Amino acid sequence: MPSIQSLTKLVKELQALRAVLDPIYIAGPMTGIPGRNHHAFFKVEQWLCEAGFVDVRNPASFQLLPETEDTWENWMDMAVAEVISCHEAGEASMIMLPGWETSKGASIERS
């Protein structure tokens, strides 16, 4: 999980570069991590919201429709659609959580 100091620095940099109304998408590893790493995702979301960002997109809060099969591919379809939505909504930014480099899903979201 990122340190408070590194997140504080990152938040300040994002504030200097982007308006707080532009979307920020959180990407990082989930598969194979206890609790799908949701704790890290929600902690980063909390920090961003406390810093004043109002459009934080957190894939840990996504939910599949009841009739949708719980597969990695379906989760990724939803994640990629959300990343596209971020770019359509404004000057989107992406926060990459530690370990994203070895995450197939986070790498897809970043590309």
Side-chain angles (χ1 to χ4, degrees), residues 11 14-15 18-20 22 24 48-56:
V11 166
L14 283 171
Q15 286 174 323
R18 304 275 189 230
V20 295
D22 288 335
I24 299 176
L48 290 168
C49 290
E50 287 173 359
F53 292 95
V54 295
D55 189 1
V56 179

Side-chain angles (χ1 to χ4, degrees), residues 12-91:
K12 287 179 182 179
E13 290 172 4
L14 283 171
Q15 286 174 323
L17 296 172
R18 304 275 189 230
V20 295
L21 297 177
D22 288 335
I24 299 176
Y25 185 89
I26 304 168
M30 288 186 174
T31 303
I33 297 176
R36 291 188 176 176
N37 204 22
H38 284 194
H39 175 74
F41 281 83
F42 285 112
K43 191 67 172 172
V44 170
E45 178 182 20
Q46 177 185 353
W47 285 325
L48 290 168
C49 290
E50 287 173 359
F53 292 95
V54 295
D55 189 1
V56 179
R57 315 283 178 99
N58 179 357
S61 65
F62 296 172
Q63 295 182 2
L64 291 174
L65 295 173
E67 66 274 7
T68 305
E69 187 179 355
D70 185 4
T71 65
W72 183 87
E73 290 80 8
N74 286 336
W75 284 105
M76 284 308 304
D77 286 347
M78 188 179 347
V80 169
E82 193 65 28
V83 169
I84 291 168
S85 170
C86 283
H87 289 292
E88 291 172 346
E91 294 294 322

Side-chain angles (χ1 to χ4, degrees), residues 91-104:
E91 294 294 322
S93 297
M94 187 173 289
I95 300 285
M96 305 303 293
L97 297 181
W100 74 266
E101 302 93 339
T102 59
S103 166
K104 181 179 175 184

